[in-house]
Amino acid sequence: MSKFRFGAPSPKAFVEKLASNDAATTSVDLSNNALFKMKTFEYCEKIADAMKTNTNCTELILKGNEITNADCAHIKTLLATNKSLTTLNLEANKIDSEGSILIAEGIKANTTLTTLILLGNGPFGESCMDAWLDAFTDNITLVDRPSEIDARWSWRCHVLQDDVSSSPPLQKPVETVLVRPSNARRSTSSGASTPGSRSS
């Protein structure tokens, strides 16, 4: 397994590996990359384009890169079109409710992602909950959900469940999402989040 970690080098080499569907590149880490931070919109777009036909990369770590709500349009594309990624780490970026709506729309169409990390983003308000409720209704693969979203989503589902008799079309989705369990979290000795784990 190749794990690319970039500091001064350009993320361009990373994008080329993904675009060529390099069989050895199954996990890519671009955490806290200074060059990425300078052109977040451009690099998010290039990654999304490269991942459209990639079938080997299963883990993408973009934590601490100052990714914004606008950049999430490309994250949405990545999630909606890629069929191999199982872990996406967007920890410690600049994503709030507006950006999370776009991510939720991508999750709705995704069939492979099991872990999404949004720790250190937000705040996520009521304005994005409809999009996440819609996403969790259709998506059955994302079992390790962002805690910041999950807490508000769970409360929203219980409210909807109380009103389900007056809204028959919502009955099946609400029942479906309410039974999905939340995964336990764990931390490494260094305190850093790892795929499949998060800290509150």
Side-chain angles (χ1 to χ4, degrees), residues 2 6 25 29 43 45 52 65-66 68 77-78 83-84 88 95 127 131 136-137 190 192-193 198:
S2 295
F6 291 89
T25 306
D29 190 342
Y43 282 124
E45 180 178 22
K52 284 179 180 178
N65 278 326
E66 300 182 5
T68 67
T77 298
L78 186 159
K83 304 302 180 184
S84 65
L88 176 60
I95 302 168
S127 62
F136 290 153
T137 297
S190 63
S193 296
R198 294 164 302 175

Side-chain angles (χ1 to χ4, degrees), residues 173-185:
V174 170
E175 289 178 346
T176 300
V177 293
L178 278 174
V179 298
R180 191 177 303 153
S182 296
N183 281 18
R185 302 170 196 146

Side-chain angles (χ1 to χ4, degrees), residues 95-169:
I95 302 168
D96 58 25
S97 293
E98 181 183 348
S100 79
I101 290 174
L102 295 171
I103 294 174
E105 290 170 353
I107 289 293
K108 178 180 172 65
N110 186 274
T111 58
T112 59
L113 200 74
T114 60
T115 301
L116 173 65
I117 301 174
L118 289 174
L119 186 70
N121 288 282
F124 301 115
E126 185 67 15
S127 62
C128 68
M129 288 301 105
D130 283 341
W132 283 103
L133 179 60
D134 196 27
F136 290 153
T137 297
D138 286 2
N139 184 292
I140 60 173
T141 58
L142 187 64
V143 293
D144 196 6
R145 299 186 298 257
S147 60
E148 301 84 355
I149 295 293
D150 201 36
R152 294 188 65 85
W153 167 79
S154 297
W155 175 84
R156 181 73 173 275
C157 285
H158 283 292
V159 171
L160 287 174
Q161 188 183 43
D162 290 340
D163 295 336
V164 73
S165 59
S166 62
S167 305

